[in-house]
Amino acid sequence: MEFPAIEKRITIEKMARYTGEAGIHTDDKAAQKIGLPGAVVQGGQLVGYLNEMMTYALGQGYLEGGDISVVFVKSAKPGDVLVTRAAVKEQRETGARIMVDCEVWVENQRGEKIAVGNASGLLPESAQK
Amino acid sequence: MSSRWDELVPGAETGSVEFVVTDEMIDEYVGAMEIAHPWFTSANTPYHARIAPPDMICKLAMTPLFQEYIRRELGPNMRARQAFKFFAPIRAGMTVKATGHLTEKYERRGKHFVTLEALFTDEQGNPLVLDKRTQYLPEPAAAA
């Protein structure tokens, strides 16, 4: 089982394409109106990166019974290079399968954590033999 | 915070959606997220069909399910917390449905938060994804 570090280079164009509408994720002025320094990456985009990593690691075991919970602790902005990370906390038996509990996070190019949380999923059957 | 805050009732319905997941939706989402996982780019999957990234339907439904309600009732907001529980893969061609609810509102250190939840199901009512999110409601700086 391997948790690949998924790297994403953030641009305002990519943020706009993901968001699909005008607002604090695309427009500096809209973001500044609510006290942000400028446009910020949408939280769902960050969780999506973590879901991609978890799907690589656990496959069907994540898509059929996996879960994730993330808190957004710092803003990500255009120009950032974000990387997903995971650390296994525990592997526990659940019926005939093994559930993997992980700490997961997204960090920026300075190593600062942007989103932190936990994710779980079933170990692939091939990895349990 | 506007007086609307006091009128918010946990349990209130925030919106509902029903749509068919198409290859075009998956293409656009995978392109926007720069996802390379082969299960999301071809039908060569353990399910013998192309599937969508597990959070895609929640992103596509976010505005009608939650955001129109929050913006109307409370104004600008930002995500503070996001949780998903995945029950089954979402295949291209599948019809998905969800109804959103405001499940909680609370104040912490003088800041207001609301929690919203929606269970996505297929046409037969089988669960696909549970989406639970908490939004922070900043005071507009310009109005302060």
Side-chain angles (χ1 to χ4, degrees):
Chain A
M1 178 181 45
E2 212 173 297
F3 292 88
I6 307 280
E7 182 179 299
K8 308 285 182 177
R9 293 176 179 272
I10 302 299
T11 66
I12 193 73
E13 291 79 15
K14 291 176 186 175
M15 290 160 60
R17 186 173 177 191
Y18 176 84
T19 296
E21 59 183 23
I24 62 171
H25 306 300
T26 57
D27 180 356
D28 286 342
K29 286 182 182 167
Q32 286 158 3
K33 277 185 185 170
I34 60 167
L36 296 167
V40 294
V41 175
Q42 194 166 329
Q45 197 169 343
L46 303 175
V47 185
Y49 298 154
L50 291 170
N51 286 331
E52 184 182 358
M53 173 184 69
M54 294 301 292
T55 304
Y56 271 113
L58 300 176
Q60 289 174 266
Y62 189 61
L63 300 178
E64 301 173 50
D67 60 67
I68 187 166
S69 179
V70 170
V71 177
F72 304 104
V73 294
K74 195 171 174 63
S75 299
K77 57 187 189 307
D80 281 349
V81 180
L82 305 181
V83 181
T84 63
R85 305 279 186 202
V88 175
K89 289 194 301 184
E90 187 182 3
Q91 295 192 24
R92 55 193 162 88
E93 287 185 15
T94 169
R97 302 287 299 271
I98 295 172
M99 181 70 78
V100 184
D101 298 322
C102 311
E103 279 179 48
V104 293
W105 67 96
V106 178
E107 63 186 34
N108 65 17
Q109 65 277 14
R110 291 179 293 279
E112 298 165 328
K113 290 181 177 176
I114 301 297
V116 297
N118 297 288
S120 299
L122 291 167
L123 200 61
E125 287 184 45
S126 59
Q128 299 188 51
K129 292 170 184 167
Chain B
M1 185 57 59
S2 81
S3 61
R4 290 273 200 185
W5 172 258
D6 298 323
E7 296 163 14
L8 282 186
V9 181
E13 189 175 315
T14 56
S16 61
V17 294
E18 177 173 345
F19 59 94
V20 176
V21 175
T22 66
D23 278 313
E24 290 74 22
M25 288 175 183
I26 301 174
D27 286 341
E28 177 55 29
Y29 192 79
V30 164
M33 291 285 286
E34 299 179 301
I35 292 173
H37 196 295
W39 292 0
F40 307 130
T41 57
S42 79
N44 186 18
T45 72
Y47 307 104
H48 308 294
R50 188 180 186 190
I51 59 171
D55 48 290
M56 184 195 83
I57 55 174
C58 305
K59 165 65 182 88
L60 295 183
M62 182 181 81
T63 297
L65 260 187
F66 302 129
Q67 276 296 329
E68 285 173 1
Y69 174 89
I70 306 176
R71 287 173 187 157
R72 183 178 68 240
E73 300 296 327
L74 297 163
N77 60 94
M78 288 181 66
R79 212 169 316 189
R81 182 182 290 268
Q82 175 73 61
F84 293 117
K85 168 83 178 166
F86 304 115
F87 297 97
I90 296 124
R91 294 174 172 81
M94 182 181 261
T95 297
V96 299
K97 304 177 182 186
T99 300
H101 290 91
L102 186 151
T103 58
E104 187 184 19
K105 67 172 186 178
Y106 61 92
E107 192 175 335
R108 185 170 293 161
R109 292 194 286 264
K111 295 178 177 177
H112 289 83
F113 298 84
V114 291
T115 302
L116 304 122
E117 197 169 310
L119 176 65
F120 288 77
T121 65
D122 64 15
E123 272 186 303
Q124 289 73 45
N126 300 307
L128 297 170
V129 184
L130 177 65
D131 176 339
K132 185 174 181 180
R133 57 184 67 202
T134 298
Q135 301 291 127
Y136 160 55
L137 307 164
E139 293 281 9

